[in-house]
Amino acid sequence: MEFKTIIEPFRIKTVEPITMSTVSEREAFLKQAHYNPFLLKSDQVIIDFLTDSGTSAMSNNQWAAIMQGDESYAGARSWDKFEKAVNDLTGMPYILPTHQGRAGERILYSHIGGKGKIFLSNTHFDTTRANIEYSGATAIDIPIEQAKDYASDYPFKGNLDTLKLKNHIDTHGAKNIAAVILTVTNNSGGGQPVSMQNAKDVSAICKQHQILFVLDCCRIAENSYFIHEKEKAYSQLSYRAIAQEMFSLADGCIMSAKKDALVNMGGFLALRNKELSDACMQLLIITEGFTTYGGLSGRDMEAIAVGLQEVFEPDYLNYRIKSTKYLGEKILKKGVPIIYPVGGHAVYVDAKKLYHHIPVHQYPGQALVCELYKIGGIRSCEIGSVMFGKYDDAGNLIPAPLELVRLAIPRRVYTQSHIDYVVEVFDEVIRTKQNVKGIRITKEPKFLRHFTAHFQPVN
Ligand code: F0G
């Protein structure tokens, strides 16, 4: 018999208090923060869904491993454990430890990028795109068409469009394509999974044209769960074996360990080619640290080595994916429009649909972010025209294609009662939605404005 309640497959040994607050206190906090939740203090937040990155709870085994940290500058025992853990999983011989994902991106993409080079991806994450563009190269997203249909239950909306890939190779010439990057799961595309078949197809095309194939693998365990569930040939394979097969298709990978390695800081770049790795090692030493620690302390490497094992445990992954789905499907049933099917690490709400009375230049996503905070102390993140909007020459907003709000769920942090509370908050969001007003920007920096911009509700 299978029970409906998803119980957390862990017991709680250490607790971190949440500071409770009232609606009127939160109204004042929000005003002080200029209606930008990035400017709130964490003690002003009840449920923090800003990101799933670096926000995991570590296990007793990870904390125990931390005490084993060997902080030697060179050749530390902790490096051996880290290198072995990453090599066992990825099969890649050259491993470069970095302080987080974007450090690996900077090293690899600054080396292979530069003016005239092109990168193709199912969707580049913002830091990936920023590192590529900073090198002078161009980043082009080629997700499949089905990714745009939120109502369908197409199983692998994270896939890359291989026809477009071939067309780009024909148009630009294989030698101008620096790399093809498959982001698993596709974070900017709604946390949707990529199928093994798609990874195989991409790999074959890259091999044929001798183009570097890189996995952005920070959520590879979550992606493996979806492959196990949805791709027939893989239902008998372990999650870890599925991940290993996907790694076997790639020439390199970059991981932000802050996600599926279940730690608060860390990452790596792993490669198969010695020459490329030697060049990247030089950059690692210049900007991160010596080859056997890079951007990490010995204790960080210990915790990552354990986390990379734990994340593939079936009870953990089952709880992880089902609890994200639980939140998504509960609010969907109440009439909240979301990207469907629910992805691995987050639920994405379509704020343009929810607040169809708010025009895009009044940022419906930011309005929802503020409402969620005011009503329930929930911190979330706008992924819409605040984050990606641009201005034309006349100063008019060129809106982003979508006005989304991401509820990103930290790993092993919140219980089902926290999630049920969030669902209840959405009841109030729906009940009051007609009264919600738009938002205007009162102050903004030139780049990455969502982090520091100031806002005001429109009267
Ligand atoms: N790639 C993907 C797909 C990511 O989601 C992130 C980070 C990175 C690379 C960069 O890794 O933060 O360790 O430097 N995503 C976080 C998020 C910030 O909230 O989605 P990093």
Side-chain angles (χ1 to χ4, degrees), residues 105-235:
E105 294 172 346
R106 173 176 45 76
I107 290 171
L108 181 62
Y109 302 146
S110 68
H111 177 65
I112 63 174
K115 213 166 177 254
K117 294 284 183 197
I118 287 167
F119 290 75
L120 300 163
S121 174
N122 49 344
T123 312
H124 297 83
F125 180 68
D126 351 349
T127 59
T128 320
R129 173 177 288 279
N131 274 296
I132 289 168
E133 290 177 351
Y134 194 72
S135 82
T138 305
I140 303 174
D141 293 337
I142 44 169
I144 53 166
E145 283 303 312
Q146 291 92 323
K148 290 182 194 149
D149 180 3
Y150 302 136
S152 91
D153 52 8
Y154 189 78
F156 290 106
K157 289 185 191 172
N159 284 356
L160 179 145
D161 190 327
T162 49
L163 199 66
K164 286 193 184 137
L165 173 60
K166 287 181 193 156
N167 289 342
H168 277 291
I169 295 172
D170 287 345
T171 312
H172 304 287
K175 68 175 192 323
N176 294 316
I177 303 199
V180 176
I181 305 165
L182 209 48
T183 311
V184 298
T185 55
N186 190 5
N187 183 10
S188 312
Q192 299 293 313
V194 175
S195 70
M196 189 69 83
Q197 190 56 53
N198 191 243
K200 282 183 184 169
D201 294 344
V202 171
S203 172
I205 296 168
C206 288
K207 277 207 172 71
Q208 187 196 343
H209 296 277
Q210 297 185 316
I211 297 170
L212 191 77
F213 173 30
V214 181
L215 277 183
D216 179 344
C217 64
C218 60
R219 297 182 181 87
I220 183 101
E222 293 172 3
N223 199 78
S224 298
Y225 182 93
F226 286 113
I227 289 177
H228 185 275
E229 291 294 290
K230 301 183 184 194
E231 211 168 344
K232 257 215 180 97
Y234 291 89
S235 64

Side-chain angles (χ1 to χ4, degrees), residues 82-362:
F82 174 87
E83 187 188 27
K84 185 172 183 316
V86 177
N87 175 260
D88 279 353
L89 177 63
T90 64
M92 304 209 186
Y94 304 109
I95 293 154
L96 290 74
T98 61
H99 79 275
Q100 61 183 87
R102 67 196 71 181
E105 294 172 346
R106 173 176 45 76
I107 290 171
L108 181 62
Y109 302 146
S110 68
H111 177 65
I112 63 174
K115 213 166 177 254
K117 294 284 183 197
I118 287 167
F119 290 75
L120 300 163
S121 174
N122 49 344
T123 312
H124 297 83
F125 180 68
D126 351 349
T127 59
T128 320
R129 173 177 288 279
N131 274 296
I132 289 168
E133 290 177 351
Y134 194 72
S135 82
T138 305
I140 303 174
D141 293 337
I142 44 169
I144 53 166
E145 283 303 312
Q146 291 92 323
K148 290 182 194 149
D149 180 3
Y150 302 136
S152 91
D153 52 8
Y154 189 78
F156 290 106
K157 289 185 191 172
N159 284 356
L160 179 145
D161 190 327
T162 49
L163 199 66
K164 286 193 184 137
L165 173 60
K166 287 181 193 156
N167 289 342
H168 277 291
I169 295 172
D170 287 345
T171 312
H172 304 287
K175 68 175 192 323
N176 294 316
I177 303 199
V180 176
I181 305 165
L182 209 48
T183 311
V184 298
T185 55
N186 190 5
N187 183 10
S188 312
Q192 299 293 313
V194 175
S195 70
M196 189 69 83
Q197 190 56 53
N198 191 243
K200 282 183 184 169
D201 294 344
V202 171
S203 172
I205 296 168
C206 288
K207 277 207 172 71
Q208 187 196 343
H209 296 277
Q210 297 185 316
I211 297 170
L212 191 77
F213 173 30
V214 181
L215 277 183
D216 179 344
C217 64
C218 60
R219 297 182 181 87
I220 183 101
E222 293 172 3
N223 199 78
S224 298
Y225 182 93
F226 286 113
I227 289 177
H228 185 275
E229 291 294 290
K230 301 183 184 194
E231 211 168 344
K232 257 215 180 97
Y234 291 89
S235 64
Q236 300 303 316
L237 234 56
S238 72
Y239 302 123
R240 195 177 168 81
I242 292 171
Q244 283 166 326
E245 182 170 335
M246 193 170 267
F247 281 117
S248 76
L249 301 167
D251 302 309
C253 61
I254 294 180
M255 180 155 195
S256 165
K258 298 170 76 171
K259 284 84 170 174
D260 271 355
L262 301 171
V263 294
N264 305 118
M265 189 53 75
F268 59 81
L269 158 64
L271 295 163
R272 287 190 199 283
N273 181 288
K274 179 159 186 345
E275 217 178 301
L276 181 57
S277 143
D278 284 347
C280 289
M281 286 285 185
Q282 288 299 307
L283 292 172
L284 181 79
I285 294 171
I286 295 169
T287 60
E288 287 282 291
F290 183 61
T291 57
T292 64
Y293 72 85
L296 298 170
S297 55
R299 55 180 170 271
D300 291 332
M301 294 192 281
E302 295 275 351
I304 292 170
V306 177
L308 286 177
Q309 303 294 331
E310 289 181 353
V311 77
F312 287 104
E313 281 167 14
D315 288 343
Y316 163 74
L317 268 183
N318 191 42
Y319 139 80
R320 169 70 176 162
I321 304 297
K322 286 208 175 128
S323 54
T324 307
K325 184 171 165 190
Y326 175 85
L327 171 61
E329 297 204 332
K330 281 263 164 160
I331 63 172
L332 178 66
K333 247 195 212 136
K334 291 178 186 291
V336 178
I338 62 166
I339 295 193
Y340 193 80
V342 181
H345 67 296
V347 175
Y348 294 70
V349 179
D350 184 342
K352 189 154 55 173
K353 229 184 196 168
L354 181 72
Y355 292 150
H356 48 79
H357 60 287
I358 302 179
V360 288
H361 69 272
Q362 291 182 2

